[in-house]
Amino acid sequence: PYSFKQNQLLDKSVIYDQSKYKWNDESWRNNPSRIVRNASKKDNFSSLNDARIYELNVATFSKTADFNGVIGKLNQIKNSGFNAIEIMPVENTYSYNWGYDGVDKLAVSKFLGGPDEFKKLVDIAHQKGLNVIIDMVPNHHGPDGSQLGKTGPYLKGPNDFGDAYNFEGANSAYVRDFMVNSALNWLNNYHCDGIRFDMTKYMNSDATIKQICAEINYHNPQAFLIAEDARDSVNSDGENYWPDYNLSHDLRIMQKLKPYEYGYNMSEASHNSAIESISQNRTNLARLGFDSEWDFNYFHVLKDNLYGNIDLDKFLSACIQGQDRVKYVMSHDEIGNFEGTRLISKLIVPMLHLNEYIILDASDEKRAKELSKLKGYDYNQARQNVTFQKAQLTAEKIATAYISGGLDKYLINNDEYFLYREVLMPLGISRSADITPRKIKIAFNRAFSAYKMAQAITYLQKGPKMVFQGDEEMSLVPFRFFRQFESVKDETYLYTEKGYKNGESAYRESMIDNKNYNSVYNDGCRNLIMDLNKLSAQNSALTQGKLVEQDTVKHTGSQVISLHLEDKKEKNNIYAVINFSDMKFPRDDADEYYIRFPKGKWAEILNTDDLKYNGSGLVNSFIDSDGQKLYPINLSSKSVCVFRKIS
C-alpha cells in the first residue's frame, strides 16, 4: 500500500529513496510569491486569495504527454500572469487517464514520468515563482489494477467511481492514517504547496476529512488545502451546525481548526491526543478545516445567466456567499464529464437552436435504445440525451470550422445553399433550421462576448481564480473522458453513454496542442486573461477586499448589475458594471444609458469590448461621481466594464 514506485503496476514494488533527489528550491521558502495558509504582511508571503491558478492535465498538456512537457510550458503559464499550477492527479494508474483512478496512492504514475521527473517539475516551477497544487483522490480507489484489498482492511466495497475506502468500519484507524500519509507524501516528499481534494463529500466520513486537515495543520502549517465538496445548506458557528436552506454552501468545510484540535503548543503528545479525540468523538464536526473550496454554486448560477436564464438576485447572492472560494468558468469536470466540448461550443447550441434541429439517424436511434437499457432511462429521456450530445458535438465542429477559416468561402459570398449541402446537412442539421453563414458569424461572436464576460466576472470575485488548460486562449480542443481499462475489454458502452469513441481516440482528441488555428479571437482572449491576471495581482480589492452590498446596482429590465469591491486598508476600490443582455447601451434608437457610481473619481481600467480583446471598442472615459447622480456609460452586449477609484 505504501509503494513509492512501480515499474509495472501488477508487479513488485520498487525500493525508492525519497532523499536521493537534490532539490534546488531552497529560495522558494522565502519567496513572496509563495502561497501559505496564514499569510500576513509581516512574513511577506501571498495568501490563497491571491492565487491565480492554471489547472492542467499532464497527459494532454504537451506533445510528450509527461512532466517534462509541462516543464517546457511553465514560462508560457508564468508569462500569462498565473502564479500557481493545479495538476490533476498523478497517482499511479493502470494506464493513461484523467488521473482519478489511482491504485497506488503514494506512487507517481510511470506513464507521466515517475517520481524523479515529478520532483523536477515542482522544483523548476518553484524556481520560476509558481506554486504547485496537487489534486488527490480520497473518495475512491481506482478499479483497474487494484491490489489494495489483498493487503488489509482498506476497502469496503464498490461505489459509483470504483472502490470505497473503509474509513468508518472495523480497523479503520489504519485506513484513515493511510489517507493522511498519502496527503503528507505530496507535501513532504514532493514539496507541493497545496492540495486539492477531489469530491470529499463522497468520502462519507467527515471525521477522516477533519483528521487529514488536523495532521497537515500540525506537520505542514504553511500548506493550504482546497476541497471539492459540493455540499450546501449547512450553517455553523464553529462549535455547532444545523441545516440552513438559505445557504448555498456547507459552512463547516471552511471553518478553520482551533489549535487544540491538532495539538496544544504544537507538542507531539498533545497532537497525538488531538488526533485520538477526532477518531473517537465523531460528533465534533462543526469545523472541518479547509482553507477554500471549489465554488459549485457560483459556477451553476453563472452558467444559467450565460444561457439566458438571467436572475440578478441569484447572481448577487452567489457573489456574496461565495467570497474566498475558488472561482472558475470551466474546470475539467464541466468540460469533460459531458461531451468534452468547450464553453464556446456549448453556448453556440442555443444560439443556433441546434437542440431543436438536429436529426437523429439510425445509429443515433440505436444508441438511444442502448442508453435507455444501460442507464435505466425512459426511452424519450435517453433520446433527448442523445439529441443534446449530438448538438454539442455538432456545435464544436461548426465553431472549429469557423475559427479555423473553414467557412470563409461561404461567408464571403453569403452562400447559404452550399453551406447547407456541404457542411450542415452532413452534420445532421435540418434544412428548416435556416442557418446561414451570417447567423453562424453572429452566434460565434455572441458566444465569444459571453465567454470574455464570464472570465472577467470570475476574476471580479474575492478569492482564488482558476482557468483550465487552453481556456486562456479560448481553445476549442475538446477534453474528452479517456481511460483504458484492465477489467473492461469492450468499451462500446462508453460510446453509448458519451456519444464519442473513448479510450485511445478520446485521449488523442484531447491533446491541447492539436489546435491548428490562431485567430484574432485567440489573441483577444490571451490578452484578456493576461490583463485579468494583472488586474487581480495589482488590486487588493479583488483578493482581500469585501463586496460593498449597499453600492450594488441592479437594473433587472436591462439585465445590468454593478458590483463594488473595496479593500479599506489599502484604499483600493474596484467598480464593475456587467451587462448580461444581448443589447448594447445606449441603443441606436435611445438616449444614453445611466447608472449610479459610488462617490469618487473613477477611471476605466478594463473593458471586455476593448479592441485589444477583439471587441468593437465601445469603451468609457473618466467618471467623477458625487455618489447620488446617475452617469452615462457605454455598455456593449454581454460585456464587463471595470473601473478603479483613483482618488
Side-chain angles (χ1 to χ4, degrees), residues 22 25 81 101 133 179 252 277 305 327 337 339 352 383 387 406 415 481 498 529 593 604 610 645:
K22 302 304 179 187
D25 65 347
D101 293 305
I133 305 166
M179 194 56 64
R252 299 175 307 140
S277 174
N305 279 269
K327 302 290 188 300
N337 279 346
E339 299 78 25
L352 293 179
R383 194 175 188 278
T387 300
D415 195 335
F481 178 78
K498 299 287 186 181
I529 294 297
Y593 188 83
E604 187 177 73
D610 200 307
K645 193 173 184 180

Side-chain angles (χ1 to χ4, degrees), residues 1 103 141-142 145-157 163-165:
V103 290
H141 196 75
S146 172
Q147 303 296 301
L148 195 63
K150 300 176 182 179
T151 64
Y154 291 97
L155 306 175
K156 68 175 183 180
D163 289 312
Y165 288 108

